[in-house]
């Protein structure tokens, strides 16, 4: 296994122990004589695996009995279309908190299917607000948000999650589900692509309240895009990405053994604080995100020559650092990134600063 340190903001970073488990089961899945790559979604082993994975999600996120878990092929962006298709018709209205690249994509996609009221916070220079019922159209079928803004390096902390009465709150939590202790039961629906804290790309985990399943959906919603059909078929009316589900299971099992979301949040805060403190104390690196809104998992900063910094990092085996939509250096600090990885990054940053003053 290579010694490169992966700080990708978009693809998975997986603990070596998990990769070793996966390698073993790719050759012989739990000593059953076939590969994990060959899992049949109708096979008893996969059915049991899906049940165990669901149980782990429920345990780690402390889901109540009103919440259901779905596994839907495809990434998070697919839900930018699925949400309006399922919950708001052409002549109805939904509201979107537009705070970053991805919510902007949700606005664009949503307008194809319903009327969108937009709360535009892109480039917002004050502390992110806590949206209340007084801030939105009370006829909205739902309020959509992204809890963590990967491209701009900010987040809506737990105390800033909107309180909007009976209007359903829907969230893209792709980049911080299972990395921070949000109360997922407050969301009518939340979703996350598996490619951040749960494993490889190719599938999304959707958590939704049962009353969202019972809602009348607009006519003409394709079965492949219907949350209701995924629920009533037990996630199996179309072949699920069985290998991706298996990887999710291994990642969740590791997280459970690690101490759960509460423990990984403690480590994640320590990692991000270590890097933010180094940046703040430096006259060479800069981060202008208001401290209370700084992301724990998606950290951005600027240096005199961002592209040169990224190239020099790559030459020093620090890989997959990228730029944000504003051109800033972007570092992913997902669950699979260790504290020692961050220490190594800071050591490189110190040396880079020393050589470029």
């Amino acid at each position: 296994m290579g010694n490169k340190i992966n700080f990708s903001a978009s693809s998975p970073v997986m603990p070596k122990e998990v990769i070793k488990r996966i390698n073993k089961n790719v050759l012989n899945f739990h000593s059953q004589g076939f590969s994990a790559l060959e899992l049949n979604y109708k096979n008893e082993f996969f059915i049991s695996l899906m049940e165990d994975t669901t149980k782990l999600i429920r345990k780690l996120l402390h889901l109540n009995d009103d919440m259901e878990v779905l596994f839907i092929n495809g990434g998070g962006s697919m839900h930018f279309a699925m949400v309006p298709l399922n919950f708001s018709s052409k002549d109805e209205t939904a509201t979107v908190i537009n705070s970053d690249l991805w919510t902007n994509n949700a606005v664009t996609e949503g307008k194809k299917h319903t009327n969108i009221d937009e709360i535009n916070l892109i480039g917002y220079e004050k502390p992110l607000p806590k949206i209340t019922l007084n801030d939105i159209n009370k006829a909205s079928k739902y309020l959509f948000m992204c809890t963590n803004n990967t491209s701009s390096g900010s987040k809506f902390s737990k105390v800033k999650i909107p309180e909007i009465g009976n209007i359903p709150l829907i969230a893209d939590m792709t980049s911080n589900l299972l990395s921070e202790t949000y109360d997922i039961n407050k969301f009518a629906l939340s979703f996350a692509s598996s490619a951040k804290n749960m494993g490889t790309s190719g599938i999304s985990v959707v958590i939704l309240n049962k009353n969202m399943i019972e809602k009348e959906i607009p006519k003409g919603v394709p079965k492949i895009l219907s949350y209701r059909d995924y629920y009533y078929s037990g996630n199996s009316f179309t072949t699920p990405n069985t290998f991706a589900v298996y990887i999710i299971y291994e990642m969740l099992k590791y997280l459970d053994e690690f101490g759960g979301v509460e423990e990984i949040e403690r480590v994640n805060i320590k990692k991000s604080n270590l890097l933010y403190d180094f940046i703040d104390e430096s006259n060479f690196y800069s981060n202008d995100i208001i401290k209370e809104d700084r992301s724990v998992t998606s950290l951005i900063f600027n240096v005199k020559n961002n592209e040169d910094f990224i190239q020099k990092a790559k030459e020093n085996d620090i890989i997959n650092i990228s730029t944000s939509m504003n051109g800033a250096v972007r570092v992913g600090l997902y669950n699979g990134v260790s504290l020692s990885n961050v220490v190594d990054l800071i050591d490189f940053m110190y040396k880079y600063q020393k050589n470029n003053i």
Side-chain angles (χ1 to χ4, degrees):
M1 191 171 294
N3 294 317
K4 297 183 187 298
I5 306 174
N6 185 1
F7 286 99
S8 174
S10 56
S11 58
V13 179
M14 301 172 68
K16 290 183 179 180
E17 182 179 335
V18 173
I19 294 174
K20 289 178 181 177
R21 292 179 189 177
I22 292 169
N23 283 342
K24 179 180 178 181
N25 283 299
V26 163
L27 294 174
N28 190 356
F29 182 71
H30 295 306
S31 302
Q32 294 301 315
F34 60 85
S35 169
L37 294 167
E38 300 172 306
L39 279 167
N40 185 319
Y41 78 103
K42 294 184 179 180
N43 183 286
E44 62 182 296
F45 297 109
F46 180 73
I47 293 172
S48 177
L49 175 70
M50 183 84 85
E51 290 173 350
D52 290 342
T53 306
T54 300
K55 288 176 183 176
L56 278 170
I57 291 172
R58 301 192 72 89
K59 176 184 178 182
L60 290 165
L61 295 176
H62 307 291
L63 300 182
N64 64 37
D65 292 340
D66 292 329
M67 307 302 285
E68 298 292 343
V69 179
L70 306 178
F71 299 89
I72 298 180
N73 292 342
S77 294
M78 188 169 75
H79 299 276
F80 299 161
M82 285 187 71
V83 167
L85 276 171
N86 280 262
F87 304 121
S88 187
S89 65
K90 285 280 188 181
D91 58 350
E92 293 175 320
T93 298
T95 301
V96 176
I97 302 174
N98 191 359
S99 56
D100 194 34
L101 169 69
W102 300 108
T103 48
N104 197 56
N105 290 347
V107 168
T108 301
E109 190 64 35
K111 286 180 177 179
K112 298 175 183 178
H113 310 292
T114 190
N115 299 300
I116 297 292
D117 279 352
E118 180 182 350
I119 300 174
N120 193 340
L121 298 179
I122 292 179
Y124 198 71
E125 296 182 352
K126 299 178 182 179
L128 290 173
K130 179 173 182 174
I131 302 301
T132 68
L133 192 59
N134 293 328
D135 300 312
I136 67 174
N137 182 342
K138 294 178 177 59
S140 292
K141 302 304 291 184
Y142 60 83
L143 172 65
F144 181 94
M145 71 178 301
C146 184
T147 50
N148 188 69
N149 301 307
T150 57
S151 194
S152 58
S154 65
K155 70 167 184 176
F156 288 88
S157 62
K158 286 164 272 191
V159 297
K160 292 188 179 182
I161 295 302
E163 294 186 3
I164 49 173
N166 293 324
I167 295 176
L169 178 60
I170 297 178
D172 177 353
M173 302 190 75
T174 292
S175 55
N176 66 347
L177 185 72
L178 294 164
S179 64
E180 298 176 77
T181 55
Y182 287 86
D183 183 357
I184 306 302
N185 298 296
K186 290 184 176 181
F187 298 90
L189 184 150
S190 57
F191 63 86
S193 165
S194 58
K196 299 294 189 292
N197 290 313
M198 290 184 284
T200 189
S201 59
I203 200 164
S204 296
V205 170
V206 177
I207 302 165
L208 73 169
N209 194 290
K210 289 177 181 177
N211 62 23
M212 298 298 284
I213 298 166
E214 296 164 358
K215 286 180 178 289
E216 182 179 354
I217 63 174
K219 293 181 180 180
V221 177
K223 186 175 183 179
I224 197 71
L225 298 176
S226 166
Y227 292 113
R228 181 182 293 176
D229 282 294
Y230 282 95
Y231 172 72
Y232 283 114
S233 70
N235 297 296
S236 64
F237 81 85
T238 185
T239 305
N241 187 333
T242 55
F243 188 61
V245 173
Y246 163 63
I247 294 176
I248 292 173
Y249 169 77
E250 291 290 8
M251 289 289 283
L252 296 180
K253 182 180 177 184
Y254 176 86
L255 179 56
D256 189 38
E257 294 167 349
F258 188 82
V261 180
E262 292 77 9
E263 180 60 18
I264 201 67
E265 178 184 49
R266 185 189 67 78
V267 174
N268 287 338
I269 291 172
K270 188 174 182 178
K271 291 185 314 193
S272 61
N273 283 346
L274 198 64
L275 192 47
Y276 281 126
D277 288 347
F278 175 79
I279 291 168
D280 291 342
E281 293 168 8
S282 165
N283 293 319
F284 188 76
Y285 301 96
S286 63
N287 174 292
D288 59 1
I289 305 298
I290 294 170
K291 288 188 177 182
E292 67 185 69
D293 295 329
R294 284 176 168 178
S295 172
V296 171
T297 56
S298 309
L299 191 148
I300 67 169
F301 59 87
N302 283 288
V303 65
K304 185 176 181 179
N305 187 329
N306 289 341
E307 293 294 344
D308 182 69
F309 174 87
I310 292 171
Q311 179 58 35
K312 291 297 193 300
K314 185 177 179 181
E315 293 170 6
N316 283 270
D317 292 332
I318 297 173
I319 63 171
N320 291 330
I321 293 177
S322 59
T323 54
S324 70
M325 66 179 183
N326 296 321
V329 176
R330 183 167 63 148
V331 174
L333 296 181
Y334 301 125
N335 289 357
V337 175
S338 69
L339 186 61
S340 64
N341 292 155
V342 176
V343 171
D344 288 339
L345 174 60
I346 292 172
D347 182 59
F348 164 76
M349 292 172 70
Y350 174 77
K351 292 175 182 176
Y352 182 85
Q353 174 181 338
K354 188 176 180 180
N355 292 331
N356 287 277
I357 291 178

